[in-house]
Amino acid sequence: MKKYKIIALAMLACAGMKGFAQDGNVIGKVVDKAGNPVEGALVFVESNPQVQVATDRNGRFEIAAEKGKKIKVLTWNDATKLAAVTENKIMTIVMDFSTENVEYGLGLKQNRAESTGAVSTVYAEEINNRSAMNVGNTLYGNVTGLTTMQKTANIWEQIPSMTIRGLQTLNNNNGVLLLVDGLERDNNWNALNYITPEEVESVSVLRDAAAVALYGYRGINGVVNIVTKRGKYRTREINFSYDHSFNTQTRIPEMADAYAYASAVNEALGNDGRAPRYSQNELNAFQSGKYPYLYPNVNWAEEVFRDRGASDIATLTFRGGSTKMRYFTMMNLQNDKGFIKNANANEGYSTQNKYSKANFRSNLDIDLSPKTRMQANIMGVLNEFSRPASAGENLIGKIFTVPSAAFPIRTEKGLWGGNSTWDGGMNPVYLAQGRGYTKGHTRALYADMALQQDLSSVTKGLGASVRIGYDNIASYWEDYRQSAKYGMQSVTKWENGKPVEFNDFEGGTVGSVTGDNAKLDWQHRSFNFQMNVDWARQFGKHDLYSMLLYTYKFDNKNGVNTTLYTQNVAWYTHYGYNNKYFADFTLTTSASNRLDPDSRWGVAPTVGLAWVISNEGFMKNQSFIDFMKLRGSFGIIHTDNIPSNGYWNTVVGGANGYPIQDNFNGDGGWAEGRLPSLNGTTEKAYKYNLGLDISMLKGLTLTVDGFYERRSDIWVSAAGQNSAVLGVGSSYLNAGVVDSHGVEFGLDYTKKIGDFQLSVGGTFSYNRSKIKEMLEEPRAYDYLYQTGKPVGQVWGLQAIGYFVDDADIANSIPQQFGPVKPGDIKYKDINGDNVINENDMIPMGYNYNCPEIYYGFNIGLEWKGLGFNAYFQGVGNYTAQLSSSLYMPLINNTSISKYVYDNHWTPENPSARFPRLSTEVVDNNTQYASSVWLADRSFLKLRNCEVYYKLPAAWLSKIKMKQAKVYVRGVDLFSIDSIDLTDPEAMGDNKWPATRSVHIGLSLGL
């Protein structure tokens, strides 16, 4: 009986389904490429956009549509897909790689299938898993083509460096253009430090000519477009997250103790032919620690830094809307307390490194009418940060340059330690705890509004939009510092190994520092205006879109002659045939007030082509490849990079030798300083790109790009071509030429099988440049020319060891860098002229600023809500210069690191890493451009590791929650590199040490 009931129910279900189809209703589900439901997507019939529904939290929808019609899906992030209606079948629409939205900015959006530009994108789920305080520090290795290097500093100063496709010009202007929601923001990248990961939907990197064409002068080095979250259709979401971290400093340089320092000083003075500074009694006192006030042994890092810092991030977001209005609102609070020990030693204030920030964002999309849409975005930032003493007093530098034997922290009388060699202002503990503090306040407003109007009543497909934006950012400093007395007792006589006579030294005064204690530190204002008219039509198999665009930007910073005006006029046309062949053409003309008034405008054409191979007939009967597209682009991009402000004018300055005007008026006369640079043009980039996008096996995505760029008409000085007889500074000429080339790979594989989900991926980029022309001065030997070498190539003398003794010096080739002694560096005679000088310099290593190889890879696993993921990032072909006192110690009474102390030359250690010790500047040894002072800076870091658990939906539904997740994360847990003393991203004696953090957190969604 039961069997028949089941058969009857099945028949009724089939009949219901048939009747349902006859009524013209379709049931479907929208999922992402991992199979997860897409909530809040708009679903409508392409031929009748007025019939609209939205997907629910399970991605399901029901809409009236007949067989043969096409349903269009539009997600909140503007990804689109068309799907044909089928009969008697529940539709499943997958928002796969080809449907992804490509954000070019300036109102131009395309799906991945039809775009011709090289654009790589990273999405929210890959950004918001590092527990970073700003979006800039989430982009290490997870965006193809973007080289992002971490900066170790105070939290509010940790704006990373960013380059796209390496170093391509000679004028050190390789920075990218930063956009927020397609609109250029302030030119100082402040927005990169203020925008939180929680408000970001995606970050897109625009790399080739077709992608950056609309940005005129500003886009030549590539563009980073940060797209913030927007509302969803017919949904309502409330999300809360909280993150707490335990932070520690890693690889703090270990400095030599007092006995080792004193021994090193005596050894160095002996090498210099001078008497030792410390007697045997004093050495014994340092070693025994018996007289800590007379012969101290202070580990300054341990006395200044505490073991652990902490930070908190709390975020509340509201997201949702209807088909007429959509919203996203976020409130974010952050605070961080640093590593200063005993920061509350003073009554009434703290000297801790502290940072607190409040962010507010509101993004609105309102359909004012069926043909008029308004967008309004606003972000406000309030932050406050403080640090001990002031930046100019260089606390970090003094921790690693003041010797452990210099003075005690305090004297027996309670004075701060200091003496005639190292005054009280050199005392790191005083600077950290007793000097006072400085405090900063930053207030920022980013606002923009856009109106889009459908003008199809004039002619079908016509539309127009206008957008304005305004930024106002200012930072104010308060200075609360006080001076104090300092002193130290020193020994003047010893008897029987004990000090018996002393001298008291005191210095300094008690009081406040004179001068202003509050000021406007910096300010930036900018105004954006954008207007465009566009036209989109479809004629059978032909798709046409054309846009005429005008943009204007005004920038002003506090100071003199800091106002910048730029404007662009662009015509962009996109053509597609039969969803297989696509072509883009852009013609842009730009102007900038940085340029000579006679050559401020430049015209730049670009072309992009794409062939969707997977839509060809010969690809229909295979199931291996889901999507394949071949694309290529070429374009000429101009820039307003200049050699100097007002370069077209003659520079006139104070007279030295030959006055234009005599000294009748007592003004000292005037003289020509530099000749004018006339008949100039703009620096240009000729960009070529060939790329391949492939999606296969229902989850594997691969992108490959190869590029070549010629940068020409670069401004360079003509001094190398002129004789010194000229008598004045040489003008600049548009004569520089640089070629660059490289490859980029991006790989992602996501697969969901039942309750198990796997995700792996990686990025890799390689770039290499070559200087073709720079008007280089004549060289004695061909191998000395920088022309023909990469931009930023390091040059140096090749060390072949150290002089062993005087006989070795006498029998070796003379070196023309000053007198040498045993233990000094011996260099190779490159040209065979039996003398070592600057003509023996050769290229070695790579450059100091930007690695040629940059890569990242990740792996993620999840089973029934329990998950793990790890993100690695590394660099290669990257060189470090060991030029700080951490490696060149004791000069000017600086300290010595334990690493150098253990690895310096002595007669017993003739093959040491570093030369002999000296208290003097040994010109022969301090040739910074030398293989001794270079190191491989390549590294591989575990940037992020996370273990999490997502509570089951069945549990959450009982309390009306959508999602709940708890996690533990580790950030920068380890580094594999060959730098022995510090972290490779914290090189130098004035850099804050790198940090490692462990985070615990939760996120809840209603």
Side-chain angles (χ1 to χ4, degrees):
M1 185 66 181
K2 185 177 181 181
K3 178 180 178 181
Y4 294 118
K5 288 183 177 179
I6 294 174
I7 293 174
L9 288 172
M11 292 175 65
L12 288 171
C14 291
M17 183 70 74
K18 184 176 182 180
F20 186 78
Q22 287 176 345
D23 291 337
N25 284 351
V26 174
I27 293 177
K29 183 178 183 180
V30 181
V31 297
D32 62 19
K33 62 183 180 181
N36 301 310
V38 177
E39 181 184 7
L42 191 65
V43 182
F44 55 90
V45 179
E46 185 184 28
S47 60
N48 186 13
Q50 302 304 316
V51 180
Q52 301 177 351
V53 297
T55 57
D56 62 17
R57 67 174 59 185
N58 297 312
R60 296 185 180 276
F61 67 89
E62 180 178 345
I63 191 170
E66 299 175 356
K67 180 182 177 181
K69 296 292 185 181
K70 288 188 176 181
I71 289 178
K72 188 171 185 178
V73 178
L74 173 64
T75 65
W76 65 91
N77 59 357
D78 290 326
T80 60
K81 187 165 187 177
L82 283 173
V85 175
T86 57
E87 188 177 7
N88 297 337
K89 187 176 180 181
I90 298 178
M91 300 181 65
T92 299
I93 301 174
V94 181
M95 305 304 293
D96 54 17
F97 174 73
S98 65
T99 68
E100 288 181 358
N101 178 47
V102 179
E103 288 275 359
Y104 286 100
L106 298 175
L108 179 60
K109 301 176 183 180
Q110 296 174 345
N111 64 37
R112 184 72 63 181
E114 63 182 352
S115 66
T116 65
V119 182
S120 51
T121 303
V122 61
Y123 294 94
E125 59 270 18
E126 302 164 87
I127 294 172
N128 191 16
N129 58 11
R130 185 178 157 85
S131 298
M133 288 193 167
N134 62 69
V135 68
N137 287 319
T138 67
L139 302 176
Y140 302 114
N142 56 1
V143 196
T144 305
L146 178 66
T147 298
T148 308
M149 303 302 295
Q150 185 165 249
K151 180 180 180 181
T152 60
N154 291 304
I155 290 290
W156 59 91
E157 297 172 320
Q158 289 183 3
I159 300 179
S161 66
M162 295 193 302
T163 54
I164 295 174
R165 296 186 166 177
L167 306 179
Q168 300 172 322
T169 187
L170 297 169
N171 56 20
N172 295 320
N173 192 343
N174 289 280
V176 305
L177 174 65
L178 180 67
L179 311 177
V180 180
D181 292 320
L183 199 66
E184 182 181 350
R185 311 313 307 205
D186 64 272
N187 292 331
N188 288 341
W189 287 5
N190 290 301
L192 194 67
N193 212 19
Y194 298 152
I195 294 177
T196 63
E198 292 82 2
E199 64 193 286
V200 176
E201 188 68 65
S202 65
V203 178
S204 294
V205 178
L206 285 60
R207 312 192 304 270
D208 71 340
V212 305
L214 294 174
Y215 295 97
Y217 290 156
R218 306 286 295 142
I220 193 168
N221 296 323
V223 176
V224 173
N225 184 20
I226 300 171
V227 179
T228 60
K229 294 178 179 177
R230 312 204 69 80
K232 295 183 178 181
Y233 297 96
R234 295 183 180 177
T235 60
R236 183 182 63 186
E237 295 179 1
I238 302 175
N239 291 287
F240 172 78
S241 64
Y242 173 74
D243 183 287
H244 178 79
S245 72
F246 305 91
N247 309 321
T248 57
Q249 293 179 310
T250 65
R251 299 174 69 173
I252 299 174
E254 184 179 0
M255 308 307 294
D257 63 22
Y259 175 75
Y261 166 77
S263 301
V265 169
N266 283 356
E267 179 185 331
L269 289 169
N271 292 335
D272 298 335
R274 300 163 61 187
R277 178 183 297 176
Y278 300 103
S279 67
Q280 188 59 51
N281 284 328
E282 292 176 309
L283 291 174
N284 293 339
F286 280 127
Q287 191 171 33
S288 68
K290 189 174 181 180
Y291 309 105
Y293 291 103
L294 300 172
Y295 298 96
N297 181 22
V298 184
N299 185 322
W300 294 112
E302 285 188 358
E303 297 298 332
V304 170
F305 296 141
R306 61 180 182 176
D307 294 335
R308 187 176 294 114
S311 62
D312 299 277
I313 305 173
T315 307
L316 179 64
T317 65
F318 302 87
R319 189 177 193 180
S322 63
T323 54
K324 300 295 185 183
M325 189 274 287
R326 292 158 301 286
Y327 62 88
F328 172 80
T329 301
M330 183 208 70
M331 291 172 284
N332 176 271
L333 299 176
Q334 302 177 359
N335 75 74
D336 177 85
K337 294 183 179 179
F339 299 98
I340 303 300
K341 182 185 288 187
N342 300 324
N344 297 313
N346 299 282
E347 184 176 353
Y349 65 88
S350 168
T351 59
Q352 186 60 262
N353 265 337
K354 294 185 295 183
Y355 177 70
S356 58
K357 179 166 74 81
N359 262 40
F360 171 81
R361 170 172 291 279
S362 180
N363 292 346
L364 294 176
D365 295 86
I366 303 174
D367 294 339
L368 300 176
S369 74
K371 295 186 177 183
T372 306
R373 171 181 289 188
M374 182 185 78
Q375 283 189 348
N377 307 318
I378 186 169
M379 183 180 81
V381 179
L382 294 174
N383 70 29
E384 180 178 291
F385 43 96
S386 64
R387 61 183 167 214
S390 72
E393 291 173 305
N394 193 14
L395 168 62
I396 295 298
K398 289 172 183 175
I399 290 173
F400 301 117
T401 56
V402 174
S404 55
F407 43 73
I409 299 171
R410 286 183 181 268
T411 68
E412 288 183 281
K413 297 179 181 180
L415 293 179
W416 288 107
N419 51 44
S420 58
T421 303
W422 299 280
D423 64 33
M426 297 291 290
N427 188 325
V429 179
Y430 163 63
L431 293 178
Q433 300 174 11
R435 178 63 165 153
Y437 67 98
T438 50
K439 180 185 292 186
H441 309 266
T442 300
R443 301 171 178 86
L445 172 69
Y446 296 86
D448 61 271
M449 185 178 70
L451 283 174
Q452 300 173 0
Q453 181 64 46
D454 183 346
L455 298 174
S456 56
S457 57
V458 177
T459 184
K460 186 177 180 180
L462 186 66
S465 67
V466 61
R467 188 178 185 186
I468 58 173
Y470 177 73
D471 305 337
N472 193 323
I473 314 162
S475 184
Y476 302 87
W477 270 102
E478 301 175 45
D479 195 346
Y480 297 91
R481 286 182 292 158
Q482 58 188 6
S483 59
K485 285 190 174 183
Y486 60 90
M488 182 181 176
Q489 191 176 64
S490 59
V491 178
T492 57
K493 184 177 181 181
W494 289 78
E495 288 184 0
N496 301 320
K498 296 182 179 180
V500 294
E501 292 184 8
F502 310 92
N503 178 60
D504 288 328
F505 173 88
E506 285 191 10
T509 59
V510 177
S512 299
V513 175
T514 59
D516 294 335
N517 64 354
K519 66 174 182 177
L520 172 66
D521 192 35
W522 56 267
Q523 183 175 0
H524 184 98
R525 295 179 297 126
S526 65
F527 172 78
N528 278 280
F529 177 78
Q530 171 189 326
M531 179 175 63
N532 69 276
V533 177
D534 54 74
W535 181 68
R537 288 292 300 273
Q538 184 174 7
F539 304 95
K541 296 181 179 181
H542 305 272
D543 289 287
L544 188 64
Y545 174 84
S546 190
M547 175 175 68
L548 186 63
L549 172 72
Y550 172 77
T551 63
Y552 168 86
K553 190 163 191 288
F554 160 90
D555 290 284
N556 178 263
K557 297 185 288 186
N558 55 310
V560 180
N561 295 328
T562 60
T563 303
L564 174 66
Y565 302 91
T566 56
Q567 55 184 324
N568 298 312
V569 179
W571 172 44
Y572 168 81
T573 297
H574 174 80
Y575 169 74
Y577 175 73
N578 200 23
N579 291 323
K580 298 178 184 179
Y581 315 107
F582 298 94
D584 287 339
F585 173 76
T586 307
L587 186 65
T588 304
T589 180
S590 308
S592 167
N593 70 326
R594 301 179 69 196
L595 299 171
D596 178 355
D598 295 328
S599 58
R600 285 186 172 172
W601 287 90
V603 179
T606 63
V607 176
L609 302 172
W611 174 29
V612 182
I613 304 172
S614 54
N615 284 347
E616 292 289 353
F618 59 80
M619 296 289 289
K620 297 300 182 183
N621 295 324
Q622 58 83 38
S623 58
F624 181 75
I625 295 176
D626 307 314
F627 173 78
M628 177 185 289
K629 181 180 67 175
L630 182 67
R631 50 183 166 76
S633 67
F634 163 73
I636 303 172
I637 308 295
H638 299 244
T639 182
D640 60 352
N641 290 346
I642 58 173
S644 175
N645 286 331
Y647 60 89
W648 57 88
N649 295 318
T650 301
V651 174
V652 178
N656 280 318
Y658 183 79
I660 294 177
Q661 176 180 330
D662 237 342
N663 195 20
F664 298 128
N665 298 320
D667 61 4
W670 296 89
E672 287 183 297
R674 188 193 70 234
L675 294 176
S677 304
L678 303 176
N679 302 316
T681 183
T682 55
E683 179 181 332
K684 303 173 187 67
Y686 296 82
K687 294 176 178 281
Y688 302 82
N689 192 90
L690 185 65
L692 180 67
D693 301 327
I694 303 177
S695 177
M696 64 186 78
L697 300 174
K698 307 299 182 184
L700 176 63
T701 301
L702 172 67
T703 64
V704 182
D705 280 272
F707 67 88
Y708 165 77
E709 177 172 327
R710 163 154 288 195
R711 193 71 68 92
S712 66
D713 292 327
I714 303 172
W715 285 104
V716 293
S717 173
Q721 306 296 305
N722 296 328
S723 168
V725 177
L726 184 64
V728 295
S730 296
S731 60
Y732 298 100
L733 298 175
N734 293 109
V737 179
V738 173
D739 285 352
S740 59
H741 65 275
V743 294
E744 299 160 338
F745 297 90
L747 176 70
D748 178 74
Y749 180 69
T750 302
K751 195 68 175 179
K752 188 173 185 179
I753 304 173
D755 295 324
F756 178 79
Q757 181 169 312
L758 168 69
S759 62
V760 294
T763 64
F764 174 87
S765 62
Y766 167 81
N767 60 82
R768 170 65 63 90
S769 62
K770 184 177 182 179
I771 301 171
K772 304 294 289 185
E773 180 59 76
M774 56 181 295
L775 294 187
E776 191 171 4
E777 65 186 50
R779 306 286 185 181
Y781 300 93
D782 289 344
Y783 64 82
L784 293 173
Y785 280 98
Q786 296 180 49
T787 305
K789 304 299 187 299
V791 175
Q793 172 67 58
V794 174
W795 292 74
L797 298 165
Q798 180 62 56
I800 56 175
Y802 301 101
F803 293 109
V804 176
D805 50 29
D806 290 336
D808 186 20
I809 295 173
N811 294 322
S812 297
I813 296 174
Q815 300 187 171
Q816 297 182 344
F817 305 112
V820 295
K821 294 182 178 181
D824 287 343
I825 304 172
K826 183 189 293 188
Y827 300 110
K828 184 178 181 179
D829 181 13
I830 298 298
N831 54 20
D833 63 353
N834 291 320
V835 64
I836 308 295
N837 54 27
E838 64 274 5
N839 288 332
D840 294 295
M841 302 275 283
I842 59 172
M844 54 181 58
Y846 300 94
N847 71 75
Y848 301 134
N849 300 314
C850 181
E852 289 187 344
I853 295 174
Y854 191 89
Y855 61 93
F857 57 92
N858 66 277
I859 181 170
L861 303 170
E862 183 179 323
W863 179 74
K864 291 188 176 181
L866 180 63
F868 163 83
N869 59 57
Y871 289 80
F872 296 83
Q873 182 256 316
V875 301
N877 291 7
Y878 191 32
T879 297
Q881 184 180 38
L882 310 180
S883 59
S884 73
S885 64
L886 291 173
Y887 299 96
M888 297 181 173
L890 304 180
I891 301 170
N892 295 324
N893 296 309
T894 56
S895 185
I896 181 172
S897 66
K898 187 176 185 301
Y899 176 62
V900 173
Y901 181 78
D902 292 339
N903 292 278
H904 72 276
W905 183 93
T906 64
E908 298 75 29
N909 187 19
S911 58
R913 174 69 177 85
F914 299 103
R916 69 178 174 95
L917 299 179
S918 175
T919 61
E920 302 171 348
V921 176
V922 181
D923 290 335
N924 181 81
N925 294 347
T926 55
Q927 298 296 312
Y928 291 159
S930 157
S931 60
V932 170
W933 308 115
L934 299 180
D936 182 5
R937 203 175 180 179
S938 304
F939 62 80
L940 172 64
K941 289 191 174 186
L942 177 56
R943 287 297 191 188
N944 184 70
C945 183
E946 177 186 46
V947 177
Y948 62 88
Y949 180 64
K950 297 177 181 178
L951 275 65
W955 297 1
L956 298 174
S957 62
K958 297 177 181 179
I959 55 175
K960 300 186 183 302
M961 290 185 63
K962 290 184 179 180
Q963 64 90 17
K965 172 184 172 181
V966 293
Y967 61 82
V968 177
R969 290 175 184 158
V971 175
D972 289 332
L973 294 182
F974 69 80
S975 174
I976 301 173
D977 58 74
S978 57
I979 301 297
D980 295 296
L981 187 57
T982 66
D983 185 274
E985 292 183 292
M987 303 290 293
D989 55 21
N990 61 350
K991 295 291 183 68
W992 281 87
T995 59
R996 174 187 300 131
S997 58
V998 175
H999 300 250
I1000 56 174
L1002 62 88
S1003 63
L1004 306 172
L1006 300 176

